[in-house]
């Protein structure tokens, strides 16, 4: 086999949704698995859909996701330009060659005539009207500056077949295809033409893309054949769905990669999760690094049916990645989510290691540290547990701890632990009850990121005493 070369060809029409990113990821994994090159090409010929800044989003996303392209607009290895709008003159040249070869023709039909071709359902199929024009007539019209498009000349009969790596044999009758536009009246190519010219010139061996192109591929193959170019091998991918019936859609802002990053997902976890949406490694492993995915990537594991995006599962996987971060790294990454109003008052370095095993996404840090900023009226029944069904014990624990801690000068996790344990013993209270009651009393909540000693240490002596006093009076009411 010649060198494997795959490409990712996003259109700069806004943010990158994870369905797109998965296509890019598979193309990357396949290239790397086979010792090949992975090319980035920007498909911006549809100027009406162009969104400012979207090209930058593509670069940033790939960089953040760790999908490293070998060639692209900023890494020209001799196949550039890699941005289609910069290749405009080249498409016209090939389209004209195709006209010479009979694979395409000039069409001068205006909108009115095209509209008149619609059937009762409003469906229009071009009737090859301009194919009948004589050479001389075409020359005249071109000379007089009449607006034109170039259309593909699809045979009226027969069918086109190819073998897709995922879907197997695909056959489409030519009758079902239209003589689609290859060059628009503004001189820009359509996707239908540009993808073929570029994939050929960039020596792409495997075209990996969404299955919305599965049935138009025979049409593209006709173009390869007309030019006498070798067809690439195709791998089409089933879509990622939002639920049973709806596709994830860029248009509706679904599942945007950058949004997930903002919410505090780690890029490695997102990439790992989306790799599994439509592909399963032989050993059913779920958590994999990029190099493990490259190693394991295998077409046999790619599914022809669509997969449903499950954020709960992605969250779980993200939590697994977070647990593996060093304390320092977790601190750095999660600090921006630690509420601004309290960041000057409390030492996040002390809190972060406690949170690391208790959050699934970094933004969980925000509500998991609510207890620092908010403390006030709460339901005293939160003291009650199966093991401690009696509020009198809570009351006794809090009163005793208040006195003991007030007298404690050296304020540290260890000294607070010793102090509470001595206090429990002196008052005949079980140590477990003591620490659990103090923890609830100083946070006003049942679920906290650490035990009583850590919470008291983080809050500091003054705040701890203030809170114990509040809780004591609450329990005495
Ligand atoms: N620009 C096309 C898209 O975003 C690329 C399709 C392809 O990979 O050929 O859908």
């Amino acid at each position: 086999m010649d060198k494997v070369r795959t490409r990712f060809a996003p259109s700069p029409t806004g943010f990158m949704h994870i369905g797109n990113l998965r296509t890019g990821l598979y193309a990357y994994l396949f290239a790397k698995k086979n010792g090949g090159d992975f090319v980035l090409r920007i498909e911006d010929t549809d100027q009406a859909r162009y969104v400012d800044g979207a090209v930058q989003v593509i670069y940033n996303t790939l960089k953040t996701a760790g999908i490293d392209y070998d060639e692209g607009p900023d890494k020209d290895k001799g196949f550039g330009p890699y941005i289609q709008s910069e290749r405009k003159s080249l498409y016209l040249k090939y389209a004209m060659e195709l006209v010479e070869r009979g694979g395409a023709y000039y069409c001068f039909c205006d909108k009115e005539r095209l509209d008149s071709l619609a059937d009762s359902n409003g469906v229009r199929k071009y009737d090859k009207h301009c194919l009948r024009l004589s050479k001389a007539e075409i020359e005249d019209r071109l000379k007089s500056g009449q607006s034109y498009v170039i259309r593909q000349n699809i045979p009226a009969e027969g069918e086109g077949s190819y073998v897709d790596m995922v879907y197997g044999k695909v056959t489409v009758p030519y009758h079902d295809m239209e003589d689609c536009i290859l060059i628009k009246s503004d001189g820009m190519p359509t996707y239908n033409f540009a993808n073929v010219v570029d994939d050929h010139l960039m020596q792409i061996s495997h075209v990996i893309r969404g299955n919305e192109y599965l049935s138009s591929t025979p049409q593209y193959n006709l173009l390869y054949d007309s030019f006498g170019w070798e067809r690439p091998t195709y791998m089409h991918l089933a879509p990622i769905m939002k639920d049973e019936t709806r596709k994830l859609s860029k248009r509706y802002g679904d599942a945007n990669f950058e949004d997930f990053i903002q919410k505090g997902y780690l890029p490695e976890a997102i990439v790992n999760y989306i790799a599994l949406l439509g592909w399963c490694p032989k050993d059913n492993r779920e958590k994999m690094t990029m190099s493990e995915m490259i190693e394991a990537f295998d077409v046999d594991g790619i599914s022809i049916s669509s997969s449903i995006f499950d954020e709960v599962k992605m969250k779980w996987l993200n939590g697994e990645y977070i647990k593996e971060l060093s304390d320092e790294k977790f601190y750095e990454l999660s600090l921006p989510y630690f509420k601004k109003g309290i960041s000057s008052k409390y030492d996040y370095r002390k809190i972060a290691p406690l949170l690391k095993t208790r959050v699934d996404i970094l933004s969980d840090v925000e509500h998991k540290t609510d207890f620092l900023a908010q403390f006030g009226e709460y339901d005293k029944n939160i003291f009650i547990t199966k093991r401690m069904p009696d509020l009198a014990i809570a009351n006794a624990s809090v009163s005793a701890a208040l006195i003991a801690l007030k007298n404690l000068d050296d304020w540290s996790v260890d000294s607070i632990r010793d102090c509470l344990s001595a206090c429990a013993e002196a008052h005949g209270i079980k140590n477990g009850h003591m620490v659990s009651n103090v923890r609830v009393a100083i946070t006003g909540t049942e679920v906290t990121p650490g035990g009583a000693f850590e919470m008291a240490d983080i809050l500091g002596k003054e705040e701890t005493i203030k809170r114990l006093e509040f809780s004591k009076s609450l329990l005495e009411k």
Side-chain angles (χ1 to χ4, degrees):
M1 182 161 63
D2 290 338
K3 183 157 195 187
V4 166
R5 284 174 60 83
T6 66
R7 87 304 192 267
F8 179 40
S11 300
T13 55
F15 60 77
M16 174 93 73
H17 92 68
I18 53 148
N20 271 102
L21 188 62
R22 185 204 55 174
T23 302
L25 175 64
Y26 284 13
Y28 171 73
L29 295 176
F30 185 81
K32 295 299 124 187
K33 165 84 188 199
N34 293 289
D37 294 332
F38 174 63
V39 178
L40 172 66
R41 181 171 77 221
I42 306 291
E43 300 209 327
D44 61 346
T45 55
D46 190 350
Q47 300 281 305
R49 290 180 61 217
Y50 185 86
V51 173
D52 263 350
V55 174
Q56 201 52 47
V57 170
I58 294 171
Y59 294 146
N60 292 348
T61 303
L62 292 177
K63 187 156 194 268
T64 310
I67 301 175
D68 207 5
Y69 47 91
D70 301 290
E71 285 170 43
D74 53 348
K75 275 191 203 170
D76 195 332
K77 298 268 173 71
F79 293 94
Y82 295 81
I83 299 184
Q84 286 186 328
S85 58
E86 294 172 16
R87 301 167 68 80
K88 186 174 167 185
S89 57
L90 196 144
Y91 303 114
L92 195 58
K93 178 180 137 247
Y94 279 101
M96 276 153 41
E97 184 182 331
L98 197 64
V99 171
E100 290 300 311
R101 289 170 177 265
Y105 59 95
Y106 289 94
C107 170
F108 301 92
C109 291
D110 58 17
K111 186 171 178 306
E112 225 170 27
R113 169 151 208 288
L114 294 175
D115 287 346
S116 74
L117 297 175
D119 66 12
S120 54
N121 296 318
V123 181
R124 244 173 41 177
K125 189 175 171 190
Y126 189 64
D127 59 356
K128 290 183 180 280
H129 179 77
C130 288
L131 185 58
R132 292 184 280 268
L133 296 177
S134 70
K135 233 182 158 142
E137 192 164 349
I138 295 169
E139 301 266 286
D140 278 354
R141 290 187 187 223
L142 290 176
K143 257 194 213 126
S144 70
Q146 198 174 337
S147 160
Y148 70 89
V149 299
I150 297 180
R151 288 185 184 270
Q152 185 175 359
N153 184 15
I154 307 242
E157 284 173 5
E159 57 185 27
S161 288
Y162 68 103
V163 178
D164 184 87
M165 289 174 84
V166 172
Y167 287 83
K169 189 168 180 193
V170 177
T171 302
V172 182
Y174 294 141
H175 175 78
D176 288 353
M177 302 174 192
E178 191 186 18
D179 283 1
C180 64
I181 294 175
L182 303 179
I183 300 286
K184 295 180 280 188
S185 56
D186 63 1
M188 276 289 192
T190 55
Y191 168 78
N192 294 330
F193 192 52
N195 92 86
V196 172
V197 173
D198 287 348
D199 285 340
H200 169 72
L201 293 179
M202 294 180 178
Q203 295 178 13
I204 300 302
S205 62
H206 293 76
V207 169
I208 300 174
R209 63 184 166 207
N211 74 355
E212 61 270 33
Y213 299 102
L214 192 67
S215 59
S216 44
T217 294
Q219 194 164 332
Y220 309 144
N221 282 336
L222 282 172
L223 294 173
Y224 284 96
D225 299 350
S226 302
F227 280 117
W229 295 341
E230 193 184 338
R231 298 177 182 183
T233 303
Y234 297 98
M235 187 196 294
H236 286 98
L237 306 170
I240 302 176
M241 310 288 283
K242 193 169 161 149
D243 52 35
E244 295 295 334
T245 54
R246 290 174 301 168
K247 265 195 194 187
L248 275 185
S249 136
K250 188 164 176 172
R251 209 158 289 176
Y252 298 113
D254 294 336
N256 167 0
F257 179 79
E258 282 203 358
D259 279 354
F260 288 128
I261 298 288
Q262 295 285 320
K263 275 202 232 172
Y265 282 89
L266 303 181
E268 306 86 287
I270 305 176
V271 170
N272 186 164
Y273 177 68
I274 63 173
L276 302 174
L277 289 173
W279 170 64
C280 179
K282 280 202 179 73
D283 56 7
N284 291 326
R285 227 175 334 159
E286 293 203 304
K287 190 162 172 295
M288 281 175 284
T289 61
M290 190 68 100
S291 44
E292 287 167 344
M293 289 194 279
I294 292 172
E295 183 62 37
F297 197 69
D298 169 27
V299 181
D300 292 342
I302 297 181
S303 160
I304 59 169
S305 45
S306 51
S307 32
I308 293 182
F309 177 70
D310 176 0
E311 194 172 346
V312 174
K313 173 115 195 240
M314 183 161 87
K315 223 178 226 182
W316 164 80
L317 190 60
N318 199 66
E320 298 299 300
Y321 274 86
I322 286 185
K323 285 188 195 100
E324 282 182 2
L325 295 174
S326 67
D327 284 357
E328 183 59 28
K329 191 81 198 158
F330 178 76
Y331 167 80
E332 265 169 42
L333 294 176
S334 60
L335 185 61
Y337 297 91
F338 185 54
K339 280 207 196 93
K340 284 204 182 67
I342 49 176
S343 54
S344 56
K345 209 164 154 203
Y346 296 108
D347 183 1
Y348 188 57
R349 278 206 179 271
K350 278 188 180 171
I351 312 166
L354 303 174
L355 290 170
K356 197 178 82 174
T357 52
R358 292 177 167 87
V359 298
D360 282 333
I361 54 178
L362 298 171
S363 59
D364 284 346
V365 159
E366 225 171 296
H367 63 90
K368 296 247 186 228
T369 50
D370 273 347
F371 74 94
L372 291 174
Q374 301 158 8
F375 182 79
E377 231 26 73
Y378 60 88
D379 177 2
K380 60 182 169 188
N381 288 319
I382 61 172
F383 281 99
I384 293 179
T385 61
K386 259 200 199 130
R387 288 207 209 130
M388 211 238 17
D390 187 355
L391 272 184
I393 303 176
N395 202 340
S397 309
V398 171
S399 305
L402 177 59
I403 297 166
L405 290 176
K406 256 188 186 166
N407 290 324
L408 182 68
D409 291 326
D410 160 30
W411 198 260
S412 71
V413 171
D414 287 339
S415 62
I416 299 166
R417 181 188 293 114
D418 293 346
C419 171
L420 288 182
S421 136
C423 173
E425 204 176 330
H427 290 82
I429 298 171
K430 281 191 190 151
N431 197 41
H433 288 168
M434 172 61 84
V435 293
S436 136
N437 289 326
V438 169
R439 185 181 63 84
V440 174
I442 62 178
T443 58
T445 162
E446 300 150 276
V447 187
T448 56
F453 328 124
E454 285 117 353
M455 296 299 96
D457 178 44
I458 287 163
L459 287 166
K461 181 169 176 180
E462 197 188 325
E463 183 68 19
T464 301
I465 300 300
K466 218 164 83 188
R467 291 183 176 202
L468 283 173
E469 273 164 354
F470 178 89
S471 293
K472 180 171 178 281
S473 58
L474 186 85
L475 282 161
E476 281 167 355
K477 265 189 212 160

